Amino acid sequence: MDNPRPDLKAMLPDELDDFVGELGQPTYRTRQILDWLYVKGVRDVGEMTNLSKALRDMLAQKTRITALRQVDCQESATGEAVKFLFELPTGQRIESVLIIDGDRRTVCLSSQVGCPLDCKFCATGRMGLIANLEAGQIVDQFLQVSLFARARGERVTNVVMMGMGEPLLNYDEVVRALRLMRLEEGLGLGGRKITVSTAGYLPGIRKLIAEDLNVGLAISLNATTDETREQLMPINRKYKIADLLLAAREFFDRRGYRVTFEYVLMAGLTDADEDARRLAGLIRDVPCKINLIPYNEFEDDERFRRPSRRRLEQFYRVLGELGVEFTVRESRGRDIDAACGQLYYRQEKIRR
Ligand code: SAH
């Protein structure tokens, strides 16, 4: 669906300056429009009451404002996660998750409908790539979840690009969305409050390192040998573990903060003592953080199982004895399929 009218919600301030300038308007209009869009959350220029009627009419004619249709909102029994299901104008659906952890409110955003990378253990991977999201659609997920939080008297504090999709394969739209979320006059999320997570698409990592944009980076390592990683993540045929370790070092040198390596623990595949030892060896000289994620099971795929409590404890112990610091992500929202790697919407139903 090609829409020739530019999306007001996806315009950066300098673009908005130019745009309102061309309409013969002063640039302070930019600030007013940003405030309406991102702080007040209006979906219709008609509601931007401090703009002149003439400007509102022109904007209505020449632009559109992306607003995803929220079709479902499910809260986990424990209150630790809320999953949102949104529908695009094409009828395709995407999911976002609000994760509640102490004072932290993290939104997990989708960057694509489905994903082309085919990681064998990931639910989204089963969908294949269906579409890239537009910047306005990424920002709008954030905006709608923020408004939900605000209505409960809470504020979103962090963003992770860890929902459906590989963000670095939808680079331009994702980076534009990140810039929009950082705007002080809008959503105002500081640099390190945003983390981009990648399966290891090296050209995208390189580009992000060079970008004039402060965001955190997480790389899904998930295995300690290229052989195993290749079986789990076909992208490893092209970009190897050694490449990712180098990229992490480069990220630290250029940006000044450490990459997080995510490591999913899968029974019999990635959870052996030997893996823990190899992991410690791999990252010995790389300034990084380690985030361990016990696998979240979905459907009845026998190949991928969560390790037993004992196995997990043992893995943690081996790492600890080798002096490796790590965090464990016990995913929230498993009961509503909102946990890490569980986002999957059966598109067949809608495509029909
Ligand atoms: N494509 C990006 C972001 C989406 S996946 C990436 O690969 O990083 C976000 C994280 O969830 C990744 O670390 C991925 O390895 C992990 N993941 C995928 N499926 C999972 C599952 N079933 N259980 C636990 N973690 C999973």
Side-chain angles (χ1 to χ4, degrees), residues 292-310:
L292 303 175
I293 314 175
Y295 186 67
N296 290 302
E297 297 176 4
F298 62 91
E299 293 179 337
D300 287 319
D301 197 326
E302 293 294 330
R303 291 175 298 168
F304 306 107
R305 288 290 176 215
R306 181 191 170 90
S308 68
R309 200 56 282 142
R310 276 184 61 188

Side-chain angles (χ1 to χ4, degrees), residues 39-293:
V39 182
K40 303 200 171 69
V42 309
R43 297 163 158 234
D44 186 331
V45 285
E47 294 172 54
M48 301 184 177
T49 46
N50 59 0
L51 307 184
S52 66
K53 174 84 170 67
L55 177 56
R56 272 180 276 156
D57 289 345
M58 275 192 285
L59 288 175
Q61 244 177 49
K62 290 182 192 295
T63 66
R64 67 193 161 109
I65 299 177
T66 283
L68 300 170
R69 197 165 77 82
Q70 191 177 310
V71 285
D72 199 12
C73 170
Q74 261 182 295
E75 195 158 352
S76 73
T78 56
E80 293 174 314
V82 187
K83 183 168 79 170
F84 298 80
L85 181 64
F86 296 110
E87 187 169 280
L88 310 180
T90 47
Q92 295 150 347
R93 295 180 170 193
I94 51 162
E95 295 175 331
S96 321
V97 184
L98 173 64
I99 303 152
I100 293 139
D101 184 9
D103 289 337
R104 247 183 209 233
R105 296 289 175 280
T106 304
V107 201
C108 178
L109 300 177
S110 293
S111 56
Q112 299 180 312
V113 187
C115 181
L117 291 181
D118 196 27
C119 296
K120 302 303 176 193
F121 52 85
C122 174
T124 307
R126 309 262 156 116
M127 296 169 65
L129 177 66
I130 295 169
N132 279 313
L133 293 183
E134 296 171 1
Q137 295 168 334
I138 298 168
V139 172
D140 199 49
Q141 295 170 59
F142 178 81
L143 190 56
Q144 294 203 33
V145 177
S146 296
L147 292 173
F148 171 93
R150 197 197 289 172
R152 307 208 297 189
E154 300 171 358
R155 211 175 59 82
V156 170
T157 55
N158 298 72
V159 165
V160 291
M161 299 298 304
M162 291 183 191
M164 299 164 115
E166 167 50 46
L168 298 183
L169 286 176
N170 185 17
Y171 189 90
D172 291 345
E173 297 299 307
V174 165
V175 164
R176 172 176 287 271
L178 299 179
R179 291 192 191 286
L180 288 165
M181 291 189 281
R182 286 170 51 83
L183 291 180
E184 252 170 61
E185 55 272 61
L187 300 164
L189 270 187
R192 279 174 236 208
K193 304 280 178 191
I194 302 181
T195 301
V196 175
S197 178
T198 177
Y201 180 62
L202 197 62
I205 298 175
R206 289 258 150 74
K207 232 166 133 182
L208 193 67
I209 290 174
E211 195 81 46
D212 158 36
L213 175 72
N214 269 345
V215 291
L217 179 66
I219 301 177
S220 302
L221 188 65
N222 294 349
T224 56
T225 65
D226 281 319
E227 196 189 348
T228 303
R229 194 166 189 274
E230 209 156 296
Q231 278 166 16
L232 299 170
M233 306 175 73
I235 190 174
N236 198 73
R237 283 181 214 137
K238 252 190 138 155
Y239 309 110
K240 307 284 183 205
I241 292 176
D243 297 327
L244 302 179
L245 296 170
L246 273 177
R249 171 163 282 293
E250 198 181 325
F251 188 86
F252 180 76
D253 290 345
R254 299 272 300 269
R255 308 243 68 125
Y257 39 99
R258 292 177 288 163
V259 163
T260 297
F261 280 113
E262 296 161 282
Y263 187 90
V264 179
L265 287 155
M266 297 176 243
L269 295 169
T270 64
D271 66 343
D273 289 359
E274 199 44 42
D275 288 307
R277 283 186 212 108
R278 268 194 300 259
L279 180 58
L282 287 174
I283 56 132
R284 185 160 294 134
D285 298 320
V286 183
C288 66
K289 295 183 260 189
I290 299 290
N291 188 214
L292 303 175
I293 314 175

